[in-house]
């Protein structure tokens, strides 16, 4: 499997440079929801079992949003 450099570097850091690594590509399902609450836009990213991976609102802008949606 072709592994992104960042993933390979993190694995090598954890396992040690000389460790034999065996890679397997996994697909991860996430759900993104947008809603308004108290007049403010919000976004959440959830796993299928309901765990929140990310949550942000209008007052938490960090400058990397895609404003062209």
């Amino acid at each position: 499997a072709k592994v992104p450099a960042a993933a390979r570097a993190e694995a090598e850091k954890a396992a040690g440079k000389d460790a034999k690594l065996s890679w397997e590509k996994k697909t991860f399902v996430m759900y993104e929801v947008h809603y308004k609450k108290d007049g403010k836009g919000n976004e959440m990213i959830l796993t299928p079992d309901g765990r929140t991976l990310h949550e942000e609102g209008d007052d938490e802008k960090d400058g990397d949003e895609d404003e062209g949606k």
Side-chain angles (χ1 to χ4, degrees):
K2 183 170 173 127
V3 179
R8 183 175 297 280
E10 192 62 28
E12 288 174 350
K13 185 171 120 181
K17 273 271 193 202
D18 297 328
K20 180 170 175 14
L21 303 175
S22 174
W23 293 93
E24 189 175 326
K25 186 175 181 178
K26 299 284 185 174
T27 301
F28 186 66
V29 175
M30 298 178 290
Y31 295 91
E32 181 173 299
V33 60
H34 299 263
Y35 61 95
K36 284 198 181 268
K37 183 175 181 181
D38 300 325
K40 295 182 179 179
N42 292 279
E43 170 185 299
M44 291 176 71
I45 298 176
L46 303 155
T47 62
D49 63 2
R51 288 178 291 140
T52 302
L53 295 180
H54 175 78
E55 188 170 359
E56 84 179 37
D58 281 346
D59 58 345
E60 300 176 18
K61 293 211 185 287
D62 55 7
D64 66 354
E65 290 186 25
D66 180 5
E67 297 293 335
K69 284 185 183 175

